Amino acid sequence: MMDVPVSTGITVTGRGRVDKREAILAAAFEVFARKGYEGASVDLIASEAGVAKPTLYNHLGSKENLFRLVMVG
């Protein structure tokens, strides 16, 4: 499969970094909306995004950072 350059400088191959990031952000939005910040867990967000917990941390860092990104939109 060919690499596709993305404007952010990230290279995407197949279900690459951008798709995973979008899945994580979408899942985080849903989980935070349902559970609130305190009730949301990184495990639940990763599970709903279909990624491993370390993948979530590699892409977006902490729960706090994830919440900030979701809220800013």
Side-chain angles (χ1 to χ4, degrees):
M1 180 172 270
M2 282 184 64
D3 290 344
V4 180
V6 177
S7 62
T8 60
I10 299 170
T11 301
V12 180
T13 304
R15 181 170 189 243
R17 293 181 57 119
V18 172
D19 287 345
K20 287 181 183 177
R21 180 182 172 93
E22 289 174 4
I24 293 165
L25 290 172
F29 179 84
E30 293 297 323
V31 172
F32 286 130
R34 275 194 331 263
K35 303 273 188 180
Y37 182 82
E38 292 298 321
S41 71
V42 173
D43 286 323
L44 180 58
I45 294 167
S47 175
E48 291 201 14
V51 301
K53 189 174 172 181
T55 300
L56 186 148
Y57 283 118
N58 287 337
H59 282 270
L60 295 157
S62 68
K63 176 181 166 182
E64 180 181 326
N65 187 56
L66 184 55
F67 184 74
R68 200 174 299 124
L69 288 170
V70 168
M71 295 310 294
V72 171

